[in-house]
């Protein structure tokens, strides 16, 4: 039987012909990295290849690693296998990885969204024979509203809190979601303050994208300075001693999981805004169809449900186990975020 162009192994997604892994979760010699989130970009590889905008992100997170950057659509060959990176629209520097050998084309999406968020390079559709897709929100219940409507709600919430003399504390993952929030906050309402983890990552991204001024919260920040303004922080800051300085405050989380009834209550959050850096149900289906792919491999999220639905639509669809987490990364506190609580 012919060896598949990409294989799912205990170390990660492996291209045997090129002897390279895509987003491996165990240390390998050569790794092509889709984006900078911790579940896709891990420490310990001998050589990293990624989009050039993701290079400073990986270096910030992993330190002095052997890494090279590529442009969008730039073709590079490893043992006669052709690779190129294409915008995934997930976060800054996020890529789909195109793999071509002997006329056969595979796409590994990593994580992706098809709505243009005004910050990240917009998703680019790439035709292929086999499409490896995430399914983080692969349920019909997940249907996103246009982001402008969500940001109108966020800014109105902030303005209302300010009128009541309260500080608004908005939680979002420090890489990706936080910068998307910063980009669309209405600075005419007040000042934007940040948690250390958010500020540090934002400083890494400022040379790459246009972001508004922010103010880092330190031990010297006075409570009165925060009153009526907004604080952007990672989920790990919720319930910490760090947040006591904001009293009286109102909390909110921006996440796709806020679409679930009870998610906000379980996390003891005052307000939930449904905003995801991943595709909703319709976006996943639209993309699968548009690729023209004959085979679909579902890697993380609601893989069983989504693949079964694709099978009903007559796709050759299956699931594969990986160690990718999708938007669970926004819920689970990371050690880096914990260590950067002031």
């Amino acid at each position: 039987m012919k060896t598949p162009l990409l294989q799912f192994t205990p170390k990660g997604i492996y291209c045997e012909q090129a002897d390279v892994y895509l987003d491996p979760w165990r240390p390998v010699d050569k790794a092509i990295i889709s984006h900078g989130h911790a579940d896709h970009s891990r420490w310990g590889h001998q050589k990293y290849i990624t989009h050039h905008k993701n290079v400073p992100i990986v270096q910030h997170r992993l330190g002095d690693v052997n890494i090279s950057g590529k442009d969008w659509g730039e073709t590079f060959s490893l043992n006669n296998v052709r690779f190129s990176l294409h915008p995934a629209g997930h976060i800054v520097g996020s890529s789909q990885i195109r793999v071509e050998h002997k006329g056969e084309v595979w796409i590994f999406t990593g994580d992706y969204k098809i709505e243009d968020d005004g910050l990240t390079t917009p998703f680019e559709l790439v035709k292929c024979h086999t499409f490896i897709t995430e399914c983080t929100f692969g349920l019909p219940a997940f249907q996103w509203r246009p982001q402008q409507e969500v940001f109108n709600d966020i800014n109105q919430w902030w303005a209302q809190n300010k009128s009541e003399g309260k500080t608004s504390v908005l939680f979002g993952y420090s890489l990706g979601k936080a910068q998307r929030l910063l980009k669309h906050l209405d600075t005419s309402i007040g000042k934007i303050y940040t948690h250390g983890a958010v500020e540090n990552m934002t400083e890494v991204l400022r040379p790459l994208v246009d972001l508004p001024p922010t103010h880092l919260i330190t031990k010297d920040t006075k409570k009165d300075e925060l009153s009526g303004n907004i604080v952007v922080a990672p989920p790990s800051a919720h319930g910490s001693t760090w947040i006591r300085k904001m009293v009286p405050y109102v909390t909110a989380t921006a996440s796709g999981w806020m679409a679930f009834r009870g998610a906000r209550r379980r996390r003891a959050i005052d307000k939930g805004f449904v905003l995801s850096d991943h595709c909703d149900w319709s976006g996943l289906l639209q993309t699968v169809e548009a690729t023209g792919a004959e085979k679909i491999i579902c890697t993380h999220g609601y893989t069983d449900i989504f693949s079964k639905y694709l099978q009903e639509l007559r796709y050759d669809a299956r699931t594969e186990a990986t160690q990718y987490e999708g938007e669970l990364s926004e819920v689970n506190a990371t050690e880096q975020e914990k260590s950067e609580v002031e």
Side-chain angles (χ1 to χ4, degrees):
M1 183 179 291
K2 178 184 175 184
T3 301
L5 185 55
L6 295 177
Q7 304 171 63
F8 288 79
T9 76
K11 290 185 176 181
I13 302 171
Y14 182 55
C15 180
E16 181 178 325
Q17 293 88 336
D19 192 22
V20 69
Y21 287 82
L22 313 186
D23 287 3
W25 44 86
R26 292 184 181 173
V28 300
D29 289 336
K30 265 193 307 247
I32 303 176
I33 303 298
S34 67
H35 67 285
H37 279 151
D39 55 331
H40 289 260
S41 175
R42 304 195 184 215
W43 184 85
H45 311 315
Q46 295 300 307
K47 183 178 181 181
Y48 295 73
I49 303 170
T50 192
H51 187 263
H52 68 82
K53 283 190 175 180
N54 192 39
V55 169
I57 296 171
V58 172
Q59 290 174 327
H60 172 74
R61 289 194 51 252
L62 303 182
D64 185 19
V65 296
N66 181 3
I67 187 167
S68 60
K70 304 293 183 181
D71 289 327
W72 299 128
E74 176 184 348
T75 300
F76 56 101
S77 295
L78 300 171
N79 296 343
N80 295 318
V81 180
R82 291 161 58 89
F83 296 86
S84 56
L85 305 179
H86 303 266
H90 174 56
I91 63 171
V92 174
S94 61
S95 305
Q96 304 170 81
I97 303 172
R98 183 182 186 274
V99 186
E100 180 181 356
H101 186 57
K102 295 182 178 179
E104 184 179 357
V105 177
W106 290 50
I107 291 291
F108 169 59
T109 62
D111 291 328
Y112 68 107
K113 72 172 182 298
I114 59 174
E115 182 182 27
D116 182 358
D117 62 16
L119 180 70
T120 304
T121 306
F123 176 86
E124 176 189 321
L125 181 72
V126 184
K127 297 282 189 176
C128 59
H129 300 105
T130 301
F131 188 61
I132 304 176
T133 181
E134 62 144 307
C135 311
T136 303
F137 293 106
L139 289 178
F142 295 112
Q143 300 284 352
W144 310 146
R145 294 164 58 205
Q147 79 161 14
Q148 191 54 55
E149 294 181 12
V150 179
F151 280 111
N152 288 343
D153 290 347
I154 291 174
N155 286 314
Q156 289 170 12
W157 168 79
W158 177 14
Q160 178 64 35
N161 295 338
K162 182 176 183 178
S163 71
E164 297 172 2
K166 298 175 181 177
T167 300
S168 301
V169 182
L170 183 57
F171 297 114
Y173 191 61
S174 60
L175 169 57
K177 183 62 63 61
Q179 291 75 37
R180 188 178 176 190
L181 294 171
L182 294 175
K183 177 71 175 179
H184 296 282
L185 289 174
D186 183 357
T187 54
S188 70
I189 299 172
K191 292 182 178 180
I192 303 172
Y193 285 84
T194 53
H195 177 280
V198 170
E199 185 68 17
N200 290 345
M201 186 56 71
T202 299
E203 287 303 304
V204 172
L205 294 175
R206 281 194 187 279
L208 306 174
V209 291
D210 181 32
L211 293 167
T214 55
H215 306 271
L216 173 64
I217 296 176
T218 69
K219 294 184 176 73
D220 297 325
T221 305
K222 302 293 188 293
K223 178 179 174 180
D224 291 346
E225 296 177 57
L226 301 173
S227 180
N229 292 311
I230 194 165
V231 176
V232 179
S236 57
H238 185 46
S240 69
T241 56
W242 177 86
I243 203 172
R244 294 175 187 170
K245 185 179 289 191
M246 288 72 173
V247 177
Y249 61 83
V250 182
T251 58
T253 289
S255 171
W257 297 113
M258 292 299 105
F260 268 160
R261 192 172 297 175
R264 185 189 72 202
R265 184 179 65 253
R266 286 194 299 273
R267 295 181 176 88
I269 299 292
D270 298 315
K271 182 77 173 176
F273 296 105
V274 182
L275 186 73
S276 177
D277 293 331
H278 300 257
C279 284
D280 63 4
W281 172 263
S282 297
L284 289 169
L285 290 175
Q286 176 185 328
T287 306
V288 165
E289 180 180 7
T291 64
E294 301 146 7
K295 296 182 179 180
I296 313 298
I297 302 175
C298 304
T299 57
H300 56 291
Y302 289 98
T303 53
D304 290 341
I305 293 172
F306 190 64
S307 64
K308 286 177 182 176
Y309 185 77
L310 292 177
Q311 290 166 11
E312 292 174 4
L313 296 178
R314 306 297 184 187
Y315 285 98
D316 179 358
R318 72 177 197 270
T319 67
E320 288 284 357
T322 67
Q323 293 187 17
Y324 309 135
E325 297 178 349
E327 202 156 311
L328 286 174
S329 298
E330 300 189 10
V331 180
N332 299 328
T334 67
E335 289 305 313
Q336 182 179 4
E337 287 173 346
K338 288 178 181 177
S339 68
E340 293 180 11
V341 172
E342 292 291 335

